[in-house]
Amino acid sequence: MLASEDGLPCNRDVHEDLLRKLRKLLPPEAVLTDKEDLRPFECDGLSVYRRLPLVVVLPETIAQVQAIMRLCHVLQVPVVARGAGTGLSGGALPLSDGVLLSLAKFKRILHIDPENAMATLQPGVRNLAISEAAAAYGLYYAPDPSSQIACTIGGNVAENSGGVHCLKYGLTVHNILMLKVVTMEGELLTIGSETLDSPGYDLLALMTGSEGMLAVIVEVTVKLLAKPERAQVLLAAFDDVFKAGEAVGAIIAAGIIPAGLEMMDKVAIQAAEDYAHAGYPRDAEAILLCELDGTNAEVSEHIMEVREILHQSGATEVRTAVNEAERQLFWKGRKSAFPAVGRISPDYYCMDGTIPRRQLPHVLRQISLWSEEYGLPVANVFHAGDGNLHPLILFDANKEGELARTEEFGQRILQLCVEVGGSITGEHGIGMEKINQMCIQFKTAELSQFHAVKAAFDPAGLLNPGKAVPTLQRCAEFGAMHVHHGQLPHAELERF
Amino acid sequence: MLASEDGLPCNRDVHEDLLRKLRKLLPPEAVLTDKEDLRPFECDGLSVYRRLPLVVVLPETIAQVQAIMRLCHVLQVPVVARGAGTGLSGGALPLSDGVLLSLAKFKRILHIDPENAMATLQPGVRNLAISEAAAAYGLYYAPDPSSQIACTIGGNVAENSGGVHCLKYGLTVHNILMLKVVTMEGELLTIGSETLDSPGYDLLALMTGSEGMLAVIVEVTVKLLAKPERAQVLLAAFDDVFKAGEAVGAIIAAGIIPAGLEMMDKVAIQAAEDYAHAGYPRDAEAILLCELDGTNAEVSEHIMEVREILHQSGATEVRTAVNEAERQLFWKGRKSAFPAVGRISPDYYCMDGTIPRRQLPHVLRQISLWSEEYGLPVANVFHAGDGNLHPLILFDANKEGELARTEEFGQRILQLCVEVGGSITGEHGIGMEKINQMCIQFKTAELSQFHAVKAAFDPAGLLNPGKAVPTLQRCAEFGAMHVHHGQLPHAELERF
């Protein structure tokens, strides 16, 4: 396990020194080196990548985190921080010659301040636990990734997580106020403030979504929102997926911002219905779920307007959940779409790209053409309101060549997202998974600027190396490879 | 004019070389060096600081900006970028041995996309002009600083401007999608995307509010919002300023987010009423203006709730504007409060600090005690909803020692803002004005991180040097000075 896969100096003596010193800093049960103890940390939610770390540390205090970081800085040992490990892009994949720093013991809710509608949390607090604790005050924390039962607020900040409600309530970055972070050198920084804005460069936003590359998050202060008086969901069925895409644009153009606006196509509808029995129309080509929240009067008014728009857009059926139980059932179908699709296909590849809303019909049409070309079915499940696509490509890894065809198909989808003005990730992050696609998204000048920002925090590149931002050399190689295959769109050719 | 005040190499030959080369890059009318031509650029809205630049350049294209930056980079000449010059903290103060780069000719609205509710603008487009152009589509741009008739979107991004409506609709950073910027080396970077999130570090947020220290903004893509169906304003009078402060907390605690929630105290009320004849109750100790917007039904519901809360909080009078004309009049009084106060006092010092809302009554009480102690009246005008204070200290610069007493009083207010968990600026930026106060707000570790981020963009420190982020040496000197005066609070003593 001591071989260096990552181009960093590999030295058995250094590692022995590291382990000895870690055991001085932490109690025995907080320094794990046995293979069986390391196993649970070998991957995150993207389990196709697996690697055992050199050591797992489980600190309990900020001072311990600082001491660990100082030690790793002195010994020049790389560090990967980890929350619940629910990430879908391999951002928490360990290094075999590095420390895996788990924040699992940082799970206390430090303070809830109902008057100022904020909560201060240790990074290992689960996303859903925040809303559960705030419920006593009629408050909740808005961002709700599908993994919210398990994922932690520290991981949410590292990935800038979204969720079904981010169209109206924003991503994690829009819902946090303050962070405490520990740098690679062991310095404790407080960034942001309890107020709307704070002076100096916006390190709070910079840290959010930085995928553990800049510092280790040790405390998070979030905004809480008052629970809306009423939430109601509409389900609309369409006989044409493009009509559903156009209805999305029409709702937004009417000036209505739904709390959630989700779309599923036929493959996804049928899978979800068979799994969750949500009452979805099995024969529809697409459904939209549109949640409206606010005051009683506002929701009533918006429901009427949205119904009208849906009918005008050619919906064959529009239903309003008759009660809270049915509302929950409508959402259950959507939220279980991924596991439901997992039942109908040996394997699936979950894409995550974002496009400007107006491109929705065009992109859906193109995906459907490619689906025929590759002979691979696609289930489309996505946050339509904010243009965040999750096409699931169904395949069978045991069939010769099917994985390779799937990856090629997936990459074309991401390239299309970039071409139409969107991006290669909506909420799952870059991590290991999409590091090559970053070369499509950005030019050399922007990548160079990213590296300079990274160096401003971690000049030796010890924090989560190899993730999120590719080296220019990697992009050159990736570009060259693609030019060779003749698949690079014209715009890309100019870049390399 | 060639003496270096800024510690940068001063060299007549370099300057002559610079001017000769600038004249090759730009037409003659775009390179100003005559004293009279330079005069309009000698200061921004903080006119207490004045300085003539070496040269003013007025490029018209991004390519010209890149060429200017490349030239200044090669010759190591500092550059200060400037929009409309309405900033209130001296951020656009020129350098006598530097280039003043005016974006005044970048005033085209490049594209309005109603379907995706966004607009792409050159940086010199005036804030209000965006909403005027978007009005044809029922859309508007939300952030509305008081200077919105004159200030430009590029300057808004540089300062992360707010305004009366930022409580509900956010600051500039929450309302932009994409930037094109030119670095000190002349590289053109595209940051952000048309979608909700984009991969890589959040350079979009980092650039916003960076006060011209990281790059020159040459294009801005903003979000547009649908105009609310209805906006209505309530005016509440109080016989006690602290009751008004508590009413603010009660409204927010009820889960209502007003479009604007403004407070004025007696000095401000009377000055504004005498000036704008807005119908304010002259004998009230404080008034609140509370604007509610949304659908018709929602606004009606919220008006009833807010009226009830205001009465419960001890309001002596609650009025709802009877029509749009009265609504505009209520706001006219508030928006003209600064010039109105300017009529009743020879001079005033406009503070800009932010505090957590719960601290409002405490901070108001303390300001009122200090006002008596210093014998200097204070008019309080502020964005109460988001805790952004604008106390105006009234003084007479012609009275011996009164300016010095005013500055000392002002500094105590800012220190108090920091002590209660707030910050030294809400929306006016740091610039020249508050660079010393940054030493109170931040510790060495955070300031060092700011310098590292700056160096990641501009290692030679040529972009707007001397602004926004103090050197550690400056903080040490500032700290020492204050210890000497014996005024530094205990927490500060520990920092130096």
Side-chain angles (χ1 to χ4, degrees):
Chain A
M1 289 314 301
L2 293 182
S4 172
E5 299 163 2
D6 310 291
L8 290 156
C10 167
N11 187 322
R12 191 176 290 268
D13 291 346
V14 169
H15 291 165
E16 277 169 12
D17 191 24
L18 171 75
L19 296 179
R20 197 170 51 244
K21 285 174 174 158
L22 284 174
R23 290 199 178 97
K24 279 190 192 161
L25 294 175
L26 299 165
E29 68 279 12
V31 182
L32 311 179
T33 52
D34 285 356
K35 218 167 184 171
E36 282 319 295
D37 292 338
L38 300 180
R39 191 69 68 196
F41 300 91
E42 70 178 349
C43 68
D44 62 12
L46 186 70
S47 57
V48 58
Y49 296 102
R50 290 170 191 271
R51 201 189 280 148
L52 289 183
L54 176 70
V55 56
V56 171
V57 290
L58 291 147
E60 278 188 84
T61 67
I62 291 176
Q64 285 175 347
V65 174
Q66 290 184 274
I68 293 165
M69 298 302 280
R70 266 185 228 115
L71 176 61
C72 291
H73 180 247
V74 168
L75 298 177
Q76 295 281 289
V77 172
V79 177
V80 177
R82 176 189 169 106
T86 56
L88 291 170
S89 57
L93 182 74
L95 295 165
S96 55
D97 59 355
V99 171
L100 191 286
L101 194 163
S102 166
L103 280 308
K105 289 189 179 170
F106 280 75
K107 55 187 176 194
R108 277 192 304 133
I109 293 175
L110 298 172
H111 183 54
I112 293 190
D113 176 352
E115 204 178 345
N116 282 296
M118 53 178 77
T120 301
L121 315 155
Q122 289 192 322
V125 171
R126 290 177 307 109
N127 174 294
L128 191 60
I130 307 169
S131 290
E132 285 168 353
Y137 309 97
L139 300 169
Y140 77 111
Y141 175 64
D144 57 344
S146 295
S147 57
Q148 68 178 147
I149 297 172
C151 66
T152 61
I153 186 67
N156 289 177
V157 174
E159 298 291 331
N160 194 17
S161 304
V164 165
H165 291 91
C166 66
L167 171 62
K168 182 165 182 178
Y169 296 105
L171 300 164
T172 302
V173 70
H174 304 110
N175 289 277
I176 60 172
L177 289 166
M178 208 157 75
L179 292 176
K180 287 189 182 169
V181 303
V182 174
T183 66
M184 193 62 225
E185 294 181 8
E187 285 281 4
L188 179 65
L189 305 182
T190 302
I191 57 188
S193 75
E194 288 186 26
T195 59
L196 192 61
D197 192 19
S198 66
Y201 306 119
D202 191 349
L203 302 188
L204 187 72
L206 187 65
M207 202 61 63
T208 310
S210 65
E211 305 196 16
M213 305 280 289
L214 303 183
V216 177
I217 297 156
V218 293
E219 194 180 296
V220 183
T221 301
V222 302
K223 295 181 200 168
L224 300 174
L225 299 181
K227 271 193 205 160
E229 197 174 296
R230 182 178 166 205
Q232 181 60 282
V233 67
L234 291 168
L235 184 158
F238 292 84
D239 59 8
D240 178 340
V241 72
F242 313 113
K243 286 184 192 165
E246 282 166 353
V248 168
I251 292 168
I252 305 289
I256 298 165
I257 304 183
L261 185 50
E262 300 283 309
M263 185 165 159
M264 296 165 74
D265 71 1
K266 193 167 197 167
V267 179
I269 294 166
Q270 294 189 350
E273 182 56 22
D274 291 344
Y275 181 91
H277 310 292
Y280 292 169
R282 295 187 90 263
D283 54 344
E285 288 296 321
I287 61 169
L288 285 183
L289 290 174
C290 178
E291 181 153 299
L292 300 159
D293 69 7
T295 67
N296 242 316
E298 181 189 8
V299 172
S300 299
E301 210 174 320
H302 277 159
I303 284 179
M304 286 196 303
E305 284 177 60
V306 171
R307 285 187 75 92
E308 179 64 26
I309 292 168
L310 290 168
H311 282 302
Q312 278 173 7
S313 304
T316 51
E317 183 189 359
V318 181
R319 278 150 53 189
T320 309
V322 292
N323 52 31
E324 179 62 17
E326 192 176 33
R327 178 178 158 259
Q328 293 292 351
L329 195 60
F330 281 0
W331 280 120
K332 187 181 168 203
R334 164 63 186 90
K335 290 194 177 179
S336 59
F338 287 16
V341 166
R343 295 204 317 171
I344 62 166
S345 173
D347 300 283
Y348 71 85
Y349 185 29
C350 171
M351 311 299 301
D352 169 43
T354 316
I355 55 171
R357 264 189 310 266
R358 66 169 178 280
Q359 300 284 0
L360 212 52
H362 165 59
V363 170
L364 287 177
R365 202 177 302 266
Q366 185 59 65
I367 291 176
S368 137
L369 289 175
W370 282 333
S371 173
E372 281 175 38
E373 182 185 328
Y374 284 91
L376 295 168
V378 173
N380 280 296
V381 179
F382 49 90
H383 310 310
D386 45 299
N388 185 189
L389 308 179
H390 292 308
L392 307 179
I393 304 173
L394 312 190
F395 70 104
D396 183 349
N398 288 327
K399 286 194 187 154
E400 169 106 17
E402 205 155 294
L403 174 60
R405 286 219 315 286
T406 300
E407 286 178 340
E408 189 185 300
F409 181 5
Q411 186 166 310
R412 289 178 79 174
I413 294 176
L414 292 181
Q415 288 195 354
L416 179 62
C417 289
V418 174
E419 280 165 34
V420 301
S423 83
I424 57 171
T425 175
E427 52 188 12
H428 297 174
I430 302 299
M432 292 294 290
E433 187 199 11
K434 291 184 190 167
I435 191 146
N436 286 337
Q437 280 71 33
M438 285 289 278
C439 310
I440 300 172
Q441 182 90 57
F442 295 105
K443 290 176 297 187
T444 302
E446 288 126 12
L447 291 170
S448 299
Q449 192 57 61
F450 286 149
H451 288 297
V453 168
K454 164 76 171 171
F457 285 81
D458 173 24
L462 294 171
L463 259 173
N464 213 7
K467 313 274 177 70
V469 182
T471 60
L472 297 180
Q473 192 190 337
R474 183 176 189 132
C475 282
E477 286 166 9
F478 175 71
M481 186 182 81
H482 277 256
V483 172
H484 178 65
H485 281 200
Q487 285 166 6
L488 215 60
H490 181 68
E492 296 318 307
L493 285 172
E494 289 176 348
R495 290 182 181 169
F496 295 105
Chain B
M1 289 313 300
L2 293 182
S4 171
E5 300 165 3
D6 312 288
L8 289 158
C10 169
N11 186 321
R12 191 177 290 269
D13 292 345
V14 169
H15 291 165
E16 279 168 8
D17 191 24
L18 172 75
L19 296 179
R20 196 169 50 242
K21 286 175 174 158
L22 283 174
R23 291 198 177 99
K24 279 191 191 159
L25 294 175
L26 299 166
E29 69 278 11
V31 183
L32 311 179
T33 52
D34 285 357
K35 218 168 185 171
E36 283 319 297
D37 293 337
L38 300 179
R39 190 69 67 197
F41 300 91
E42 70 177 351
C43 68
D44 61 12
L46 186 71
S47 56
V48 57
Y49 296 104
R50 290 171 192 271
R51 200 188 281 148
L52 290 183
L54 177 69
V55 55
V56 172
V57 289
L58 291 148
E60 277 187 85
T61 67
I62 291 176
Q64 285 175 346
V65 174
Q66 289 184 275
I68 294 164
M69 298 302 279
R70 267 185 228 116
L71 176 61
C72 291
H73 180 247
V74 168
L75 297 179
Q76 295 282 291
V77 171
V79 176
V80 177
R82 175 189 168 107
T86 55
L88 291 170
S89 56
L93 182 75
L95 296 165
S96 56
D97 59 354
V99 171
L100 191 287
L101 194 164
S102 165
L103 279 307
K105 290 190 179 170
F106 280 76
K107 54 187 176 195
R108 278 192 304 133
I109 293 176
L110 298 172
H111 182 54
I112 294 190
D113 176 353
E115 204 179 344
N116 282 295
M118 53 178 77
T120 302
L121 314 155
Q122 288 192 322
V125 171
R126 291 176 305 108
N127 174 295
L128 192 59
I130 307 169
S131 290
E132 285 168 354
Y137 309 98
L139 300 169
Y140 77 112
Y141 175 65
D144 58 343
S146 295
S147 57
Q148 69 177 146
I149 297 171
C151 66
T152 61
I153 187 67
N156 289 177
V157 174
E159 297 293 331
N160 194 17
S161 304
V164 164
H165 290 92
C166 66
L167 171 61
K168 183 166 181 179
Y169 295 105
L171 299 164
T172 301
V173 70
H174 305 110
N175 288 277
I176 60 171
L177 288 166
M178 206 157 77
L179 292 176
K180 287 188 181 171
V181 304
V182 175
T183 65
M184 192 62 225
E185 295 181 9
E187 285 281 5
L188 178 65
L189 305 182
T190 301
I191 56 188
S193 75
E194 289 186 26
T195 58
L196 191 61
D197 191 19
S198 68
Y201 305 121
D202 191 350
L203 302 188
L204 187 72
L206 186 65
M207 201 62 59
T208 309
S210 65
E211 304 196 17
M213 305 280 288
L214 303 183
V216 177
I217 297 156
V218 292
E219 193 180 296
V220 183
T221 300
V222 302
K223 293 180 202 171
L224 300 173
L225 298 182
K227 270 193 206 159
E229 195 174 297
R230 182 176 166 205
Q232 181 60 283
V233 68
L234 291 166
L235 184 158
F238 292 85
D239 59 8
D240 179 338
V241 73
F242 312 115
K243 286 183 192 164
E246 283 166 354
V248 168
I251 292 169
I252 305 287
I256 297 165
I257 304 182
L261 186 49
E262 301 283 311
M263 185 166 159
M264 297 165 74
D265 71 2
K266 193 169 197 164
V267 179
I269 295 165
Q270 294 188 350
E273 182 56 22
D274 292 344
Y275 180 92
H277 311 291
Y280 291 169
R282 295 188 90 264
D283 54 343
E285 288 297 323
I287 61 168
L288 285 183
L289 290 174
C290 178
E291 181 153 302
L292 300 160
D293 69 7
T295 66
N296 241 318
E298 180 188 8
V299 172
S300 299
E301 209 173 322
H302 278 157
I303 284 178
M304 287 196 302
E305 285 177 60
V306 171
R307 286 187 74 92
E308 180 63 27
I309 292 168
L310 291 167
H311 283 301
Q312 279 174 6
S313 303
T316 53
E317 183 190 357
V318 181
R319 278 151 52 192
T320 307
V322 291
N323 52 30
E324 180 61 18
E326 193 175 34
R327 177 177 160 259
Q328 293 292 350
L329 193 62
F330 281 0
W331 281 119
K332 186 183 171 203
R334 165 63 186 86
K335 289 195 175 178
S336 59
F338 287 17
V341 166
R343 296 204 315 172
I344 62 167
S345 173
D347 301 284
Y348 71 85
Y349 185 30
C350 169
M351 311 298 301
D352 167 46
T354 313
I355 56 170
R357 264 189 310 266
R358 66 170 178 280
Q359 300 284 358
L360 212 52
H362 165 59
V363 170
L364 287 177
R365 203 176 303 265
Q366 185 58 64
I367 291 176
S368 138
L369 289 173
W370 281 334
S371 173
E372 281 176 36
E373 182 184 327
Y374 283 92
L376 295 168
V378 174
N380 280 296
V381 179
F382 49 89
H383 310 310
D386 44 300
N388 183 191
L389 307 180
H390 292 307
L392 307 179
I393 305 174
L394 312 189
F395 71 103
D396 183 349
N398 288 326
K399 285 194 189 155
E400 169 107 16
E402 205 156 293
L403 174 61
R405 286 219 315 288
T406 300
E407 286 179 339
E408 188 184 301
F409 181 5
Q411 188 167 311
R412 288 178 79 175
I413 294 175
L414 292 181
Q415 288 196 352
L416 178 62
C417 289
V418 175
E419 282 166 35
V420 300
S423 84
I424 57 171
T425 176
E427 52 188 11
H428 296 175
I430 301 301
M432 291 294 291
E433 187 198 13
K434 293 183 186 166
I435 194 148
N436 285 337
Q437 279 72 31
M438 285 288 279
C439 310
I440 300 171
Q441 182 88 57
F442 294 105
K443 289 175 297 187
T444 302
E446 287 128 11
L447 290 171
S448 300
Q449 193 57 62
F450 286 150
H451 288 297
V453 168
K454 164 78 170 169
F457 285 80
D458 173 25
L462 293 171
L463 260 173
N464 214 7
K467 313 277 176 66
V469 181
T471 60
L472 297 180
Q473 191 189 337
R474 182 173 190 136
C475 282
E477 285 166 7
F478 175 74
M481 184 183 81
H482 277 256
V483 172
H484 178 66
H485 282 200
Q487 285 167 4
L488 213 60
H490 181 66
E492 296 319 306
L493 286 172
E494 288 178 348
R495 289 183 182 169
F496 296 104

